[in-house]
């Protein structure tokens, strides 16, 4: 008979208090990427490991779990595809057991013939299922464990503790996904207008409080009706999706791209002055101008017009709607003066082609 594990009352109380704080922490973060980062660092601290990562569904309708790029302290192998299909035996096993397992335990339960190289190649010390409402929505991978004098093996108490944390994490991830669904345009995968305004209002206040500039750039697809009238609305959808992809790829992860309505889009550029914002907008315009969009054997050439507005640190706070209206007026100016161009609401700010467009200054601006 194995010796019963004895945990001091003081530690149990401390861990309960920690769990409560962790729950509050998870609940306070709704945006997906910051939430995943929070989950990883909290689990690393609680389990004393040097690395962690999470396999998660990248898209709302995805049938595949993918290693999120927020992983830290894990060595990946370029020859391995870090994906786990939902129909993989591993998923069924983790959902059924609903408990943390070591790689050795996984192999024993699945059999040596089942390929779990996306996990084994990471040399994890523990695999933890993330389950909410009886459904697996992620797999937490804990890396090498630090030996603080008691060895690196996980006790039953520690496994129970990380399982409790993972349950809280799974609920938070589900809530984040539900928020994503309710605030995202399902066709373009960009944020919806109402959510954009909500975040922009907050960011305007933050920017003025800490003394950094904030800019927005609005875009409108030129002569969009022609695509619908000539090739049909399905073609228009293809154009919208590709333009949205280019706009999203053209801004930093900490910025936000939104489908404003119809063929209009708007981006928020935090801690970005007018000159740099105009450069970002011009780069997006040029990328779209040079893009060939294929539709049923036809090569489509698309252009956009843009308008940029900026609030400097010494500006007075205004509403998100009022701020967007300023950019919209600059957009109107671009369309009235020939289209396929970008202008700033401040006519003293103009794009300078002599500036090296390959410069990555826009990615180096601090939050």
């Amino acid at each position: 008979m194995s010796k019963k594990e004895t945990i001091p009352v003081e530690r149990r109380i401390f861990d309960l208090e920690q769990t409560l704080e962790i729950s509050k922490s998870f609940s306070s973060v709704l945006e997906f990427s910051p939430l995943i980062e929070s989950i990883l660092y909290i689990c690393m601290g609680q389990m004393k490991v040097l690395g962690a990562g999470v396999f998660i569904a990248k898209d709302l309708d995805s049938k595949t779990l993918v290693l999120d790029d927020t992983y830290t302290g894990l060595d990946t192998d370029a020859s391995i595809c870090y994906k786990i299909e939902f129909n993989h035996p591993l998923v069924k096993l983790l959902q059924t057991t609903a408990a943390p397992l070591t790689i050795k335990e996984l192999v024993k339960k699945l059999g040596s013939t089942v390929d779990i190289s996306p996990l084994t190649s990471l040399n994890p010390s523990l695999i933890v299922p993330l389950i909410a409402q009886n459904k697996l929505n992620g797999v937490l991978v804990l890396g090498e464990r630090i030996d603080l004098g008691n060895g690196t093996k996980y006790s039953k108490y520690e496994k129970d503790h990380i399982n409790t944390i993972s349950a809280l994490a799974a609920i938070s991830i589900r809530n984040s996904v539900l928020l994503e669904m309710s605030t995202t345009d399902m066709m373009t995968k960009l944020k919806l207008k109402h959510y954009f305004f909500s975040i922009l209002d907050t960011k305007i206040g933050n920017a003025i409080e800490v003394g950094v500039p904030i800019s927005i750039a609005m875009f409108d697809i030129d002569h969009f009706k022609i695509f619908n009238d000539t090739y049909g609305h399905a073609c228009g959808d293809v154009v919208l999706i590709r333009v949205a992809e280019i706009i999203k790829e053209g801004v930093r992860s900490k910025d936000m791209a939104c489908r404003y309505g119809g063929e209009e889009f708007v981006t928020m550029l935090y801690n970005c002055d007018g000159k740099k914002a105009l450069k970002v907008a011009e780069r997006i315009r040029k990328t779209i101008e040079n893009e060939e969009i294929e539709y049923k054997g036809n090569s489509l050439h698309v252009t956009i017009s843009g308008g940029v507005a900026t609030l400097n640190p010494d500006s007075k706070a205004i509403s998100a709607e009022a701020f967007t209206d300023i950019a919209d007026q600059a957009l109107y100016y671009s369309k009235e003066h020939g289209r396929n161009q970008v202008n700033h609401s401040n006519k003293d700010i103009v794009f300078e082609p002599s500036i090296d467009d390959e410069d990555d200054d826009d990615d180096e601006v601090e939050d």
Side-chain angles (χ1 to χ4, degrees), residues 322-339:
F323 191 19
T324 306
D325 283 343
I326 297 173
D328 196 24
Q329 291 169 22
L331 168 61
Y332 180 78
Y333 180 90
S334 295
K335 296 185 80 70
E336 286 294 297
H337 288 76
R339 303 177 191 268

Side-chain angles (χ1 to χ4, degrees), residues 270-295:
Y270 187 78
N271 197 358
C272 185
D273 62 29
K275 191 174 181 179
K276 288 181 179 177
L278 188 61
K279 180 181 173 182
V280 171
E282 173 60 22
R283 189 167 57 204
I284 290 172
R285 183 207 65 78
K286 188 175 181 180
T287 301
I288 291 173
E289 181 185 30
N290 294 332
E291 179 82 0
E292 288 190 5
I293 301 176
E294 297 295 326
Y295 179 75

Side-chain angles (χ1 to χ4, degrees), residues 165-186:
I165 295 174
S166 71
L168 295 173
I171 293 170
S172 295
I173 290 173
R174 177 174 172 77
N175 290 340
S176 180
V177 170
L178 291 174
L179 175 66
E180 189 81 3
M181 291 175 65
S182 66
T183 60
T184 302
D185 175 60
M186 298 308 294

Side-chain angles (χ1 to χ4, degrees), residues 127-259:
I127 304 299
V128 188
L130 301 176
I131 298 175
Q133 295 191 344
N134 298 318
K135 182 178 180 181
L136 186 84
N137 60 14
V139 178
L140 175 66
V141 178
L142 300 182
E144 181 184 355
R145 200 166 193 213
I146 303 170
D147 188 350
L148 298 178
N150 297 316
T152 58
K153 186 178 180 180
Y154 292 91
S155 66
K156 182 182 182 305
Y157 177 80
E158 288 172 326
K159 285 185 175 182
D160 288 343
H161 183 50
I162 191 62
N163 212 29
T164 300
I165 295 174
S166 71
L168 295 173
I171 293 170
S172 295
I173 290 173
R174 177 174 172 77
N175 290 340
S176 180
V177 170
L178 291 174
L179 175 66
E180 189 81 3
M181 291 175 65
S182 66
T183 60
T184 302
D185 175 60
M186 298 308 294
M187 181 171 70
T188 64
K189 298 297 187 289
L190 300 186
K191 291 301 180 184
L192 294 171
K193 180 178 177 180
H194 72 88
Y195 183 71
F196 178 83
F197 277 161
S198 173
I199 298 299
L200 182 57
D201 268 325
T202 300
K203 291 292 186 179
I204 289 173
N206 291 347
I208 292 176
E209 182 179 352
V210 301
V212 298
I214 182 170
S215 299
I216 55 174
M218 287 198 73
F219 302 100
D220 184 270
I221 300 176
D222 297 327
H223 306 296
F224 179 72
K225 188 173 183 294
I226 292 176
F227 298 109
N228 283 335
D229 292 347
T230 305
Y231 302 104
H233 288 279
C235 174
D237 290 348
V238 171
V239 171
L240 285 171
I241 291 170
R242 183 58 188 136
V243 168
E245 288 173 347
I246 293 173
I247 291 174
K248 188 172 184 179
E249 291 165 0
V251 298
R252 301 162 299 184
S253 59
K254 66 182 178 185
D255 297 323
M256 181 180 294
C258 157
R259 184 182 181 188

